[in-house]
Amino acid sequence: ATRLAESIYLSNEDGRIARELMASPMEHLAKGTGWYMYDGAFVRAHHHEILFVGSVERMDRDVGRLAALFGIQHHSVPHIRRASHAANISARGRLNLRMWYNATDYSAL
């Protein structure tokens, strides 16, 4: 993940391949939050109806926050399957991803 993220804006072959992967409709990378939220248009039109937004990466914590909103008790559920790889992305990779998704996913957020 880090190599892909760091390569997006390189002018060499690695950069070309990274940009193709990022933009390919066959890859999940091209359909992030922005794709589902019409680059923020859905959120701008319906923000008054949105009560809560959570994340997959912090599901247990976010479900706990949702339970608190409704005044109900939250029971943690153990993970059935965890990723076997680290998803740590370098600072340069995170910056590149922020620039890549700025007009789509970050606009939706």
Side-chain angles (χ1 to χ4, degrees):
T2 291
R3 184 173 176 193
L4 175 64
E6 288 181 349
S7 299
I8 296 170
Y9 293 105
L10 295 178
S11 58
N12 61 16
E13 184 70 4
D14 284 349
R16 183 190 65 76
I17 292 169
R19 288 186 296 279
E20 284 181 9
L21 284 170
M22 295 294 289
S24 171
M26 302 302 287
E27 297 290 335
H28 73 281
L29 300 168
K31 293 181 179 165
T33 304
W35 188 84
Y36 293 102
M37 300 292 170
Y38 301 97
D39 298 336
F42 178 87
V43 176
R44 285 188 294 278
H46 299 280
H47 65 89
H48 58 282
E49 300 172 53
I50 298 171
L51 173 68
F52 178 82
V53 176
S55 68
V56 173
E57 295 83 5
R58 294 173 180 84
M59 182 72 71
D60 191 57
R61 182 196 72 185
D62 291 345
V63 170
R65 288 177 43 225
L66 183 60
L69 277 173
F70 287 112
I72 59 176
Q73 188 174 2
H74 168 61
H75 301 282
S76 292
V77 177
H79 286 272
I80 295 170
R81 189 177 69 162
R82 286 189 182 269
S84 59
H85 61 280
N88 298 327
I89 298 177
S90 69
R92 185 172 114 203
R94 287 192 308 273
L95 177 63
N96 283 353
L97 291 171
R98 174 72 189 224
M99 290 188 306
W100 182 267
Y101 290 116
N102 191 54
T104 57
D105 288 30
Y106 285 99
S107 179
L109 297 174

